């Protein structure tokens, strides 16, 4: 019917507007960072090298080592014969780590996006909370899988290495809603929309 068609068009338009809004916000943040003045600091333990707040590296003689990409998608650089991930060097130089957390998390999940505003220190557990959906996921939702024996969708969440069962549901959407509520509560700033 015409009403159903109109309802579908409105949903598509709203989805497109939300997507455009997110893209504009990301571009505004990127533009703000581009306008910021580039700062340079020596790389601790590699005093022949400096790193900039924009992720550039130079040796004191003016040469710049080549920055490549690992098989896992991280930007990397070889300095003094050793392989370093660029996001770790940036965080060590520019992001305070008062809690001495061991890992650097890419907030948006993009391993190539090493903008300082996209990096934060994290524990292993916190970093795992911000993971993308697994490739072998068949439900299209994080934390949701089909339980064959019961013929229902189950939701479960892993917190600090312990798996917690959240229940069985008739639809994967119901299970996903319960997972999302639990994940928002448990993961806080490390929660990722799926």
């Amino acid at each position: 019917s015409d009403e159903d068609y109109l309802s579908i068009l409105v949903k598509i338009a709203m989805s497109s507007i939300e997507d455009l809004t997110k893209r504009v916000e990301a571009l505004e943040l990127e533009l703000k960072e581009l306008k910021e003045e580039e700062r340079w600091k020596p790389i601790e333990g590699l005093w022949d090298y400096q790193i900039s707040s924009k992720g550039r590296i130079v040796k004191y003689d003016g040469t710049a080592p080549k920055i490549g990409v690992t098989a896992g998608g991280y930007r990397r650089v070889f300095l003094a014969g050793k392989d370093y991930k660029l996001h770790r060097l940036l965080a060590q130089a520019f992001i305070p780590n008062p809690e001495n957390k061991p890992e650097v998390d890419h907030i948006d999940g993009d391993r190539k996006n090493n903008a300082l505003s996209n990096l934060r220190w994290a524990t292993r557990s916190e970093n795992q909370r911000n993971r993308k959906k697994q490739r072998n996921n068949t439900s299209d939702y994080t934390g949701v899988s089909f339980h064959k024996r019961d013929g229902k969708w189950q939701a479960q969440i892993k917190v600090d290495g312990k798996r917690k069962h959240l229940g069985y549901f008739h639809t994967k959407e119901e299970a996903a809603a319960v997972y999302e509520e639990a994940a928002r509560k448990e993961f806080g700033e490390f929660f990722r929309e799926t």
Side-chain angles (χ1 to χ4, degrees):
S1 78
D2 288 342
E3 289 178 10
D4 291 337
Y5 181 70
L6 184 59
S7 175
I8 291 170
L9 286 177
V10 168
K11 285 180 183 176
I12 292 171
M14 293 305 292
S15 174
S16 296
I17 289 170
E18 289 173 12
D19 185 47
L20 284 172
T21 302
K22 286 180 182 176
R23 289 182 186 190
V24 167
E25 289 170 354
L27 286 171
E28 286 173 343
L29 184 60
E30 193 174 319
L31 182 61
K32 179 184 170 203
E33 288 181 351
L34 286 172
K35 288 180 179 179
E36 282 183 13
E37 190 171 319
E38 191 169 21
R39 296 171 288 143
W40 290 89
K41 288 189 174 182
I43 297 176
E44 192 173 324
L46 297 164
W47 304 112
D48 286 348
Y49 296 92
Q50 288 187 348
I51 188 166
S52 84
S53 55
K54 299 194 185 281
R56 295 190 311 143
I57 295 178
V58 294
K59 203 170 181 180
Y60 279 103
D61 65 8
T63 59
K66 182 181 175 194
I67 295 174
V69 179
T70 68
Y74 293 100
R75 297 208 186 277
R76 73 159 181 220
V77 63
F78 284 94
L79 303 175
K82 189 173 176 201
D83 188 16
Y84 293 90
K85 288 189 176 125
L86 190 58
H87 66 283
R88 283 199 63 81
L89 293 174
L90 278 162
Q92 288 167 341
F94 295 100
I95 301 174
N97 188 9
E99 296 176 49
N100 203 24
K101 293 184 177 184
E103 296 191 8
V104 180
D105 177 43
H106 288 85
I107 296 168
D108 69 359
D110 180 356
R111 295 173 174 177
K112 292 180 185 173
N113 180 0
N114 289 319
L116 292 178
S117 63
N118 189 50
L119 302 176
R120 63 183 165 197
W121 288 101
T123 64
R124 178 78 175 149
S125 181
E126 288 169 337
N127 204 357
Q128 292 299 306
R129 293 173 188 167
N130 197 24
R131 287 173 53 184
K132 290 185 178 177
K133 183 174 50 184
Q134 297 282 335
R135 282 189 192 153
N136 63 354
N137 181 310
T138 56
S139 73
D140 292 328
Y141 297 100
T142 300
V144 176
S145 60
F146 191 72
H147 194 266
K148 290 180 184 177
R149 186 188 72 208
D150 293 339
K152 293 184 178 182
W153 294 93
Q154 74 174 351
Q156 47 188 344
I157 190 168
K158 193 172 186 179
V159 180
D160 297 327
K162 295 179 182 167
R163 191 171 306 277
K164 180 179 176 184
H165 178 73
L166 301 173
Y168 295 106
F169 304 90
H170 293 289
T171 69
K172 60 184 176 181
E173 290 79 11
E174 290 173 307
V178 169
Y179 170 85
E180 183 173 323
E181 183 181 331
R184 282 184 189 279
K185 180 182 170 217
E186 294 289 345
F187 300 164
E189 70 176 291
F190 289 89
F191 168 74
R192 175 191 291 277
E193 296 254 358
T194 57

